[in-house]
Amino acid sequence: MAQSVDESSKSSSMSYTVEQLVSVNPYNPDILPDLENYVNEQVSSESYSLDANLCLLRLYQPERMSTQIVARILIKALMAMPAPDFSLCLFLIPERVQMDEQFKTLILLSHYLETAKFRQFWDEAAKARHILDLVPGFEQAIRNYAIHVLSLTYQKLPPSVLAEAINLEGPSLDKFLEHYIANNSWVVEKGQGKGQLISLPANEFNHPELKRSTTDSIPLDHITRIFPVLG
């Protein structure tokens, strides 16, 4: 237990120090080693700092760039979807560096996620386990993103669509479903024939009628103050 507390304290201390360095000396190349170490710390502690990672990419010179560190930054950025972090990071990586096979793979994975082509994503990810497995929590982060996309798209969906999106089946899928039924207000209903449908919570995207217009959301007395009646 003491070791866990020490590791947590070390992580917090490093985070605080690196964030200070980024804030005070964002263009000082002397902080490169600290920023690289911090990327590894983010991986091991499953934490994340986009600002620190962007700072590192800005400071990198192509001949000094560690492809291993850059790959980890991009993987962490993928895990942050739907935030646009991956594109922000990629913009700071020279095009010739992007031609490296591992970066081409990560760019392809990003495309599949952005276009919600989850089957293709998981197929391609299976070929890149040697890269992705170095970053703990990757699969769970992508599953969270997939659920986010499904919740914006569907009111109800068959289990097969969910299974494809999160790359789970059998007992693993059942356990996943049980968790979301218990904690996220999902409901399993009978579909046509012998099939089932998963009913997702309503939101303004999968139930457009819930989206309120601007005038509906502004109290009448506020409107009359903005547009006084002309006498």
Side-chain angles (χ1 to χ4, degrees), residues 53-55 57-58 65 87-94 98:
N53 294 345
L54 289 176
C55 181
L57 293 174
R58 280 193 296 267
M65 186 172 285
S87 296
L88 294 175
C89 293
L90 197 63
F91 181 76
L92 297 173
I93 300 172
Q98 294 181 29

Side-chain angles (χ1 to χ4, degrees), residues 74-81 86 106 109-110 113 138 142:
L74 290 178
I75 293 170
K76 295 292 284 188
L78 279 180
M79 293 166 65
M81 291 188 74
F86 188 88
L106 293 175
L109 291 176
S110 172
L113 289 176
F138 178 77
I142 300 305

Side-chain angles (χ1 to χ4, degrees), residues 25-116:
N25 293 307
Y27 301 105
N28 182 359
D30 292 339
I31 68 173
L32 266 172
D34 294 297
L35 292 172
E36 289 180 324
N37 288 336
Y38 189 42
V39 171
N40 292 326
E41 173 65 21
Q42 291 174 59
V43 170
S44 62
S45 65
E46 298 190 44
S47 58
Y48 183 56
S49 174
L50 174 64
D51 289 341
N53 294 345
L54 289 176
C55 181
L56 172 57
L57 293 174
R58 280 193 296 267
L59 289 173
Y60 260 150
Q61 297 297 320
E63 64 277 5
R64 170 68 178 79
M65 186 172 285
S66 165
T67 56
Q68 181 187 58
I69 293 293
V70 174
R72 292 183 174 191
I73 288 175
L74 290 178
I75 293 170
K76 295 292 284 188
L78 279 180
M79 293 166 65
M81 291 188 74
D85 297 13
F86 188 88
S87 296
L88 294 175
C89 293
L90 197 63
F91 181 76
L92 297 173
I93 300 172
E95 189 171 340
R96 68 179 182 84
V97 177
Q98 294 181 29
M99 291 299 101
D100 187 284
E101 281 302 316
Q102 63 179 334
F103 297 140
K104 288 166 68 174
T105 295
L106 293 175
I107 292 169
L108 180 59
L109 291 176
S110 172
H111 169 72
Y112 286 147
L113 289 176
E114 289 175 353
T115 54

